[in-house]
């Protein structure tokens, strides 16, 4: 399978527009055996994906180590691997974001991933005040000079944080939530990122699985699945779980979107194709827990562009049902 590719901002790298989000193979999405996790990633790479996103806290390093083992077993060009640092802080507070702490996390990720230099390290949704600490970003530049990281970026919760981050000249990428249920980045941020040639990594593209169209009012989730334990933001930002949309409202919106899905496509593929309609969306990183999910995610790349009428209908559902719950919040 040949997937669409695009430059990754100003890094000189080229990546597929659909990549692999490696949270689910690490943890917090219910049990995934190591064998199935590796097979899931193998399937994504076999489908042509050349971008992997992970973090040091996904399974306390398990995700990074699985990626290391899979890549070590494969020949050919190595995919671009992005990881994140900061969430190992306990408590997770702004004062913990010192360059010394971040460097220690980077050293651990280098070992987990079996690399000498990280392709990209992203600050992992730090508190807002961290973005107003120039010394930290100067420190990241110093880590580039030391050869521990090739590039640095940020993973954000809020559009305002994204806009602040790209004021730093060294910021190569911003990871942000953007999907049919979270459309605010398209109003200003994407334009500003494009103007600075900053790559965007689109996470939570399926709203924690809600946009697969497979959930119902009776759906249940494992105790260690964040869709169970973080429904009200108990563990981390509630916007990471179902994009912050109340469960019953999300179900109603899915039913209204369902007739818009092109014939022969799944709702998940439709939701991914909707994101790819945004030129400023560099790479979208759906997660997967099975080989079939990896292959299906890659299949979204082959869908025809969505008609203008479909895009307008999607926006109408968002404006009426979803925006009142999320638009001004993130």
């Amino acid at each position: 399978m040949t997937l669409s590719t695009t430059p990754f901002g100003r890094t000189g790298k080229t990546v597929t527009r659909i990549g692999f989000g490696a949270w689910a193979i690490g943890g917090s999405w219910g049990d995934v055996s190591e064998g199935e996790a590796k097979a899931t990633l193998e399937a994504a790479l076999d489908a042509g994906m050349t971008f992997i996103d992970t973090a040091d806290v996904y399974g306390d390093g398990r995700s990074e180590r699985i990626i290391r083992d899979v890549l070590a077993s494969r020949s050919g060009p190595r995919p671009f691997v992005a990881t994140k640092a900061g969430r190992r802080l306990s408590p997770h507070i702004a004062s913990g974001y010192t360059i010394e702490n971040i460097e220690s996390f980077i050293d651990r990720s280098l070992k987990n991933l079996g690399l000498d230099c990280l392709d990209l390290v992203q600050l992992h949704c730090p508190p807002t005040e961290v973005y107003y600490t120039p010394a930290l970003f100067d420190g990241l530049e110093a880590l580039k000079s030391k050869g521990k990281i090739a590039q640095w970026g940020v993973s954000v919760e809020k559009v305002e944080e994204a806009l602040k981050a790209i004021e730093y000249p060294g910021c190569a990428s911003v990871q942000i939530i953007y999907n049919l249920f979270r459309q605010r980045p398209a109003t200003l941020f994407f334009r500003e990122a494009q103007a600075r040639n900053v790559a965007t990594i689109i996470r939570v593209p399926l709203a924690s699985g809600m946009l697969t169209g497979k959930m119902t009012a009776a759906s249940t989730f494992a105790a260690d699945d964040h869709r169970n334990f973080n429904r009200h933001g108990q563990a981390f930002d509630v916007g990471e779980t179902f994009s912050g949309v109340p469960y019953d409202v999300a179900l109603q919106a899915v039913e209204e979107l369902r007739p818009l899905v092109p014939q022969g496509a799944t709702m998940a593929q439709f939701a991914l194709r909707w994101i790819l309609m945004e030129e400023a969306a560099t790479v979208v990183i759906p997660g997967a827990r099975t080989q079939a999910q990896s292959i299906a995610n890659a299949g979204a790349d082959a869908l025809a562009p969505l008609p203008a009428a479909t895009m307008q209908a999607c926006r109408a559902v968002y404006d009426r049902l979803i925006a009142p719950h999320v638009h001004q919040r993130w």
Side-chain angles (χ1 to χ4, degrees):
M1 188 181 298
T2 302
L3 300 181
S4 303
T5 61
T6 190
F8 191 74
R10 55 176 180 269
T11 65
K13 302 292 186 180
T14 297
V15 299
T16 49
R17 293 197 70 202
I18 294 181
F20 183 84
W23 184 11
I25 63 169
S28 300
W29 288 82
D31 182 56
V32 181
S33 71
E34 184 153 323
E36 185 63 19
K38 289 180 177 178
T40 299
L41 177 55
E42 291 271 14
L45 299 176
D46 288 344
M49 296 182 197
T50 63
F51 185 92
I52 303 170
D53 178 84
T54 186
D56 57 2
V57 291
Y58 294 167
D60 194 26
R62 180 182 189 237
S63 176
E64 290 180 325
R65 293 188 294 272
I66 287 170
I67 291 166
R68 175 195 65 203
D69 292 348
V70 168
L71 296 186
S73 71
R74 297 176 67 91
S75 58
R78 180 176 63 77
F80 189 104
V81 180
T83 192
K84 308 183 200 75
R87 284 279 165 173
R88 295 186 62 76
L89 292 170
S90 183
H92 182 245
I93 54 177
S95 60
Y97 275 82
T98 64
I99 198 60
E100 292 78 17
N101 283 338
I102 296 301
E103 185 171 11
S104 71
F105 299 152
I106 286 171
D107 289 341
R108 184 175 181 271
S109 288
L110 286 167
K111 183 177 180 181
N112 281 341
L113 287 164
L115 297 174
D116 296 322
C117 175
L118 297 179
D119 295 340
L120 175 71
V121 68
Q122 305 157 86
L123 299 184
H124 197 172
C125 297
T128 302
E129 53 264 44
V130 169
Y131 298 94
Y132 295 84
T133 312
L136 175 62
F137 297 96
D138 290 342
L140 291 171
E141 288 296 315
L143 292 181
K144 284 173 61 176
S145 298
K146 289 172 72 171
K148 290 190 176 184
I149 60 175
Q151 303 288 344
W152 64 265
V154 295
S155 183
V156 305
E157 297 289 3
K158 299 177 180 179
V159 166
E160 288 78 9
E161 295 166 346
L163 290 168
K164 179 60 183 175
I166 64 176
E167 292 182 2
Y168 294 99
C171 183
S173 65
V174 171
Q175 181 170 148
I176 195 165
I177 297 176
Y178 177 64
N179 60 44
L180 282 159
F181 288 174
R182 289 280 287 275
Q183 299 190 26
R184 190 174 174 211
T187 58
L188 174 62
F189 168 65
F190 283 154
R191 183 169 70 247
E192 293 297 322
Q194 278 188 302
R196 291 168 172 81
N197 202 11
V198 172
T200 62
I201 303 168
I202 307 304
R203 76 171 183 278
V204 196
L206 302 178
S208 309
M210 179 61 70
L211 287 167
T212 65
K214 296 178 180 179
M215 294 179 185
T216 69
S219 294
T220 58
F221 306 95
D224 62 345
D225 189 319
H226 74 100
R227 293 171 294 183
N228 180 11
F229 67 74
N230 195 57
R231 290 284 277 273
H232 305 290
Q234 303 98 310
F236 40 81
D237 192 280
V238 70
E240 301 285 346
T241 302
F242 301 126
S243 297
V245 181
Y247 195 81
D248 57 337
V249 175
L251 287 176
Q252 181 184 349
V254 164
E255 290 312 309
E256 295 197 20
L257 291 168
R258 202 181 295 277
L260 303 174
V261 177
Q263 187 173 3
T266 66
M267 176 164 271
Q269 290 172 328
F270 165 68
L272 294 174
R273 189 65 183 89
W274 180 89
I275 293 169
L276 296 179
M277 294 294 290
E278 172 55 64
E279 181 184 351
T282 306
V283 55
V284 57
I285 51 167
R289 295 175 57 191
T290 67
Q291 297 173 68
Q293 288 173 350
S294 288
I295 294 166
N297 288 341
D301 187 79
L303 295 187
L306 301 177
T310 297
M311 298 297 288
Q312 291 165 4
C314 290
R315 181 69 191 202
V317 172
Y318 173 80
D319 286 342
R320 182 166 45 84
L321 291 177
I322 303 297
H325 298 280
V326 303
H327 194 79
Q328 302 306 330
R329 192 168 178 182
W330 289 283

